[in-house]
Amino acid sequence: MKRILIIGAGGQIGSELTLHLRKIYGDANVVATDVRESQALAESGPFETLDALNPAAMASVVERHRIDSIFNLVALLSAVGERNPQLAWNVNIGALMNSLEVARQYNCALFTPSSIGAFGNNAPKYKTPQDTIMQPSTIYGVCKVTGELLGNYYAHKYGLDTRSIRFPGIISNMTLPGGGTTDYAVEIYYEALKNKHYTCAIPKDVYMDMIYMPDVLKACVDLMEADPSKLVHRNSFNIASMSFTPEIIAAEIRKHIPDFTLDYNVDPVKEEIARGWPDMLDDSCAREEWGWNPEWNLSRMTEDMLSVLSQRLGVAKTE
Ligand code: SER
């Protein structure tokens, strides 16, 4: 049985991945850590506060809990990163370097998310290949490309089992993302239910890859369980499941809330970031090397998001 450490467990991915991994590997075998206390995570298994920028504290958790697999989920997202690039580099790369070093010292497997944000304007926009030019123009993207290179370097130099996925914008109904360029695709569901109206910061014609959280959880487990002899790539895999513009997601919401309206107040920083990212990734390597196969599309996700959130918010889904 694996002994897993999650760093940044209170964030958008971590808050659901922790519970998912606890179901699979047993509550006691998944140690959640975050810089902030979390009662929800402490209720279902071991939880410790941990500053991911403190290498001695990270090593101590790994040693005390006899950890063999680490998920490092610490990151400032793209839009917030542009407001303080130095902080974004220090947090994103600091947490990653500490994770790599602790993984090396204690011989742990290491999972780190990369992102569609690792690509920039010079990569092909449509069916962006697995292996292509990577020249991001955000500090977030620079950190992600650096992380991919460092993961491969530690695998090559030290034989470390590093694995990673380039995630699309993640849509979930539990924990909100914070400071990302793709956040609109989560906010739009809340606002549609609460106000039947949303003002979008992303221009109406911009396509970005998106993914629903259940597919994120499945991808993390499937990649970490994959037979290493089948992995030609490690850091990092393109995955894709849906790609849409604000107009397309709004039309889908209108199938359930017919009087939902959308207008735009475009944020120039987010617009530049979004236009620099791929429209749609080619995920054939993930499909071939570890059997990636998404289960959710835009219409099923919209139905599920609206039904879960309408119950939680106590508002009716339809007229
Ligand atoms: N969702 C992230 C962001 O928008 C991209 O990985 O920053």
Side-chain angles (χ1 to χ4, degrees), residues 58 72 91-103 150 154:
M58 194 186 286
N72 164 40
V91 170
N92 296 6
I93 297 299
L96 175 65
M97 272 311 292
N98 289 341
S99 303
L100 282 164
E101 273 301 292
V102 169
L150 281 170
Y154 270 68

Side-chain angles (χ1 to χ4, degrees), residues 6 10 15 30 34 40 47 62 86 110 119 123 125 131 138 144 163 183 204 221 223-224 229 249 261 272 291 299:
I6 304 188
S15 53
V30 180
D34 198 274
F47 176 86
V62 167
Q86 294 72 19
L110 176 64
F119 295 102
K125 286 259 178 279
D131 299 308
T138 61
K144 289 303 188 194
R163 306 185 190 190
D183 293 10
K204 55 163 53 168
V221 172
L223 176 60
M224 291 312 273
S229 69
I249 187 175
T261 54
E272 191 187 334
S299 90

Side-chain angles (χ1 to χ4, degrees), residues 77-78 115 140 167 169 180-182 277:
L77 295 184
S78 57
S115 161
Y140 177 74
F167 283 117
T181 304
T182 56
W277 287 356

